[in-house]
Amino acid sequence: MARLAQTHGLTDVQQEILATVRDFVDKEIIPVATELEHRDEYPQQIVDGLKELGVFGLMIPEEYGGLGESLLTYALCVEEIARGWMSVSGIINTHFIVAYMLKQHGTQEQKEYFLPRMAAGETRGAFSMSEPGLGSDVSAITSKAVKDGDEYVLNGQKMWLTNGGTSTLVAVLVRSDEGHPEGTAPHKSMTTFLVEKEPGFGEVRPGLTIPGKIDKMGYKGVDTTELIMDGLRIPANRVLGGTTGRGFYQMMDGVEVGRVNVAARGCGVAQRAFELGVSYAQQRHTFGKPIAEHQAIQFKLAEMATKVEAAHAMMVNAARKKDSGERNDLEAGMAKYLASEYCKEVVEDAFRIHGGYGFSKEYEIERLYREAPMLLIGEGTAEIQKMIIGRRLLEEYRFQG
Ligand SMILES: Cc1cc2nc3c(=O)[nH]c(=O)nc-3n(C[C@H](O)[C@H](O)[C@H](O)COP(=O)(O)OP(=O)(O)OC[C@H]3O[C@@H](n4cnc5c(N)ncnc54)[C@H](O)[C@@H]3O)c2cc1C
């Protein structure tokens, strides 16, 4: 975009990476996105192209074969990719979260084994907290791991795995009673297991079934699945970080960077909606002039652009805070909340500007209209973000009376 959503202070390397990704989005994603989305088709060619560009290893340290870039670079790339097609950013996102969790919490052996494969895009990550009975309330997880010699036996059902079918490594959060006696706080008796599997559907490893794709209103192309563990045996050296009982903290750390990422997606989708709205408004005539010349439409464009600008600034701030080594849960929660709400509003305004044509599948805005709501839910709903923001504010502004 010529004027909006600029980021100041980027290095030459960051600018070069972003220009390359943007060019790829304009040439390889935008022209095919809507057609593939309508067919619910996995964008294999796009994924192969992103692999070649090194996007799957963007934040993985150079010593493990990645580009060793910052969260900011990653988030700005995600913004560009989501501007092209949100589903593609979803394919990268869970991979990025798992790689980040390995980098932060993995044992040396786990890092050396998984990260080079993940940087090359050969091993592809998914992460799994949600279950049929819970999403927001992670502490209520019922899936269980029980120790049996040098292995753990996992049982339970998981829900809503983005990339559940295409991934080959799933970070699965389960309750593990071993070493954590009855009465231990729920978040201290959870463990993340690194579960390798074949891609595809059906029994992808003995004791592990991926039943099939969930049929969704939008966010198509990327597969979202359930995961069923029935006596799944995982060696003890595949406990993330080597110690049980740390899973809740590891996952929350992963979700925190994931929130910046979802904010970036909201920015990208909102930018595309603005581009579509401002372009259509100058082509469509009513009452003898382009609708862009009616003040009501100009006001809409002004509101949309202001929201695009504000969301981008919040997202960049949250990413930079994390990159500086500081705690960023407040900023990430605010960025995710604001960017996803604004995204929905900007998309709705662009849809209205399109009049009846916005309802036609021939127009790209129809796809964006079905995609934007997912951002209100994924990586914690708006209500959950407000709970996090509220708690942190009360910590920061504790009444001293
Ligand atoms: C397309 C898609 C992809 C997903 N991908 C993944 C994935 O890869 N991995 C994964 O683990 N999960 C994934 N999820 C799950 C997602 O994280 C959850 O859907 C989300 O956290 C909400 O949980 P829930 O659906 O169980 O809603 P619930 O937790 O049942 O919430 C229902 C409603 O109640 C509100 N609510 C809940 N608790 C409170 C409270 N204390 N106060 C006020 N309001 C409250 C919520 O905000 C929401 O409006 C995905 C979901 C979707 C739709």
Side-chain angles (χ1 to χ4, degrees):
M1 179 169 299
R3 177 70 196 262
L4 296 179
Q6 299 292 314
T7 314
H8 298 290
L10 296 180
T11 62
D12 290 348
V13 173
Q14 285 176 313
Q15 287 179 22
E16 199 180 309
I17 292 173
L18 282 174
T20 306
V21 171
R22 189 178 181 88
D23 188 53
F24 182 85
V25 168
D26 285 337
K27 290 191 181 135
E28 310 291 336
I29 300 187
I30 290 180
V32 296
T34 299
E35 204 186 318
L36 290 176
E37 200 268 357
H38 286 163
R39 291 208 301 261
D40 198 2
E41 187 174 317
Y42 189 77
Q44 191 57 53
Q45 214 174 320
I46 293 174
V47 169
D48 291 343
L50 290 174
K51 243 192 239 179
E52 259 174 54
L53 291 183
V55 170
F56 284 92
L58 209 54
M59 258 189 89
I60 294 177
E62 282 170 306
E63 59 187 296
Y64 299 113
L67 297 179
E69 270 298 325
S70 62
L71 179 59
L72 178 64
T73 314
Y74 181 78
L76 293 174
C77 287
V78 166
E79 184 180 39
E80 293 292 351
I81 292 167
R83 184 183 141 264
W85 184 11
M86 193 178 95
S87 295
V88 179
S89 63
I91 291 171
I92 300 160
N93 182 37
T94 63
H95 178 85
F96 151 77
I97 292 180
V98 177
Y100 174 83
M101 284 166 59
L102 271 161
K103 177 174 80 118
Q104 295 298 108
H105 307 287
T107 63
Q108 195 53 37
E109 184 275 325
Q110 289 168 351
K111 288 184 208 182
E112 281 168 14
Y113 179 76
F114 287 113
L115 288 178
R117 292 171 168 81
M118 293 189 85
E122 287 160 17
T123 293
R124 300 264 301 286
F127 85 99
S128 174
M129 292 195 295
S130 305
E131 295 184 355
L134 64 102
S136 308
D137 187 6
V138 177
S139 64
I141 277 178
T142 58
S143 298
K144 262 192 136 175
V146 175
K147 191 138 201 245
D148 183 21
D150 286 343
E151 294 181 323
Y152 287 85
V153 182
L154 276 58
N155 283 290
Q157 190 174 345
K158 292 292 189 179
M159 186 72 193
W160 296 119
L161 275 84
T162 301
N163 300 309
T166 41
S167 58
T168 51
L169 170 65
V170 189
V172 186
L173 186 66
V174 300
R175 193 166 295 291
S176 53
D177 290 338
E178 174 254 348
H180 312 293
E182 197 95 339
T184 304
H187 55 281
K188 289 189 178 158
S189 59
M190 287 190 206
T191 298
T192 305
F193 284 89
L194 300 167
V195 178
E196 288 179 272
K197 68 174 186 66
E198 289 298 316
F201 301 99
E203 194 169 23
V204 288
R205 172 180 176 151
L208 178 66
T209 302
I210 305 285
K213 287 197 317 190
I214 297 170
D215 197 11
K216 303 168 299 215
M217 71 182 263
Y219 198 39
K220 289 173 184 273
V222 55
D223 48 297
T224 309
T225 72
E226 294 172 54
L227 176 152
I228 297 162
M229 298 174 287
D230 183 11
L232 171 64
R233 302 188 81 87
I234 303 291
N237 68 0
R238 287 298 169 254
V239 167
L240 178 62
T243 316
T244 58
R246 301 280 310 148
F248 184 84
Y249 301 103
Q250 294 161 344
M251 282 278 174
M252 290 304 127
D253 191 25
V255 166
E256 204 170 285
V257 288
R259 281 183 184 142
V260 176
N261 196 338
V262 173
R265 286 201 234 176
C267 294
V269 174
Q271 278 171 39
R272 184 66 186 155
F274 174 78
E275 287 172 11
L276 296 172
V278 77
S279 164
Y280 187 85
Q282 293 169 77
Q283 296 168 57
R284 180 73 173 174
H285 287 66
T286 68
F287 301 94
K289 56 184 176 183
I291 59 171
E293 288 179 22
H294 298 301
Q295 194 182 48
I297 299 293
Q298 269 183 29
F299 277 14
K300 263 197 211 313
L301 293 171
E303 285 167 15
M304 291 158 74
T306 306
K307 287 172 182 171
V308 164
E309 211 47 5
H312 178 80
M314 295 275 284
M315 179 275 286
V316 168
N317 179 47
R320 283 199 159 130
K321 189 114 187 171
K322 186 80 180 177
D323 285 334
S324 73
E326 286 181 71
R327 183 175 171 183
N328 84 332
D329 53 349
L330 179 69
E331 291 75 13
M334 285 178 167
K336 195 270 167 181
Y337 168 55
L338 187 101
S340 55
E341 296 291 330
Y342 275 4
C343 174
K344 183 179 144 288
E345 291 168 19
V346 172
V347 166
E348 164 118 24
D349 274 344
F351 169 79
R352 287 174 193 258
I353 286 172
H354 279 73
Y357 290 102
F359 215 64
S360 160
K361 286 197 158 192
E362 270 183 43
Y363 284 75
E364 201 178 325
I365 193 64
E366 179 271 344
R367 168 169 65 80
L368 270 54
Y369 196 86
R370 288 181 290 103
E371 287 174 340
M374 152 61 189
L375 299 172
L376 303 170
I377 306 293
E379 315 285 339
T381 64
E383 288 72 26
I384 296 303
Q385 303 312 315
K386 285 191 261 187
M387 280 163 59
I388 295 166
I389 296 166
R391 280 189 203 133
R392 283 289 283 125
L393 289 175
L394 290 174
E395 270 176 42
E396 295 284 338
Y397 292 86
R398 197 173 294 284
F399 180 57
Q400 300 294 338

